[in-house]
Amino acid sequence: MTRRATLRTTHDDPGIVAGALEPDNTESMHSRVEGDELVTTIERDSTGGLHATVDDYVVNVTVAETVIEATRTHTDTNHE
């Protein structure tokens, strides 16, 4: 039996976040952009595997957002 979780996160530019996450995604993860949301579905064979993958994904989203924001702030500061 497959376990599935769908995560919806809202971003200023979800396409940039999706691109930042792509290298870490596995074959069990499928992402798409819907408006200002990044929608990711994760499927795993076990509950423990699903939990671990969701946990990793949430950390990766947080890191991606932090890096993207730092880059924007740095770029904005240099152009003033």
Side-chain angles (χ1 to χ4, degrees), residues 15-35:
I16 291 175
V17 177
L21 297 174
E22 184 63 30
D24 289 326
N25 286 353
T26 66
E27 291 181 12
S28 66
M29 304 168 76
H30 304 282
S31 296
R32 66 186 182 280
V33 173
E34 292 182 2

Side-chain angles (χ1 to χ4, degrees), residues 29-77:
M29 304 168 76
H30 304 282
S31 296
R32 66 186 182 280
V33 173
E34 292 182 2
D36 64 350
E37 291 185 327
L38 177 58
V39 181
T40 301
T41 301
I42 302 168
E43 295 182 352
R44 295 294 303 268
D45 291 334
S46 70
T47 302
L50 179 63
H51 180 267
T53 304
V54 167
D55 186 56
D56 288 347
Y57 178 81
V58 170
V59 169
N60 290 345
V61 168
T62 303
V63 170
E65 276 287 341
T66 301
V67 170
I68 290 165
E69 184 58 33
T71 301
R72 284 187 180 141
T73 301
H74 179 73
T75 302
D76 291 345
T77 301

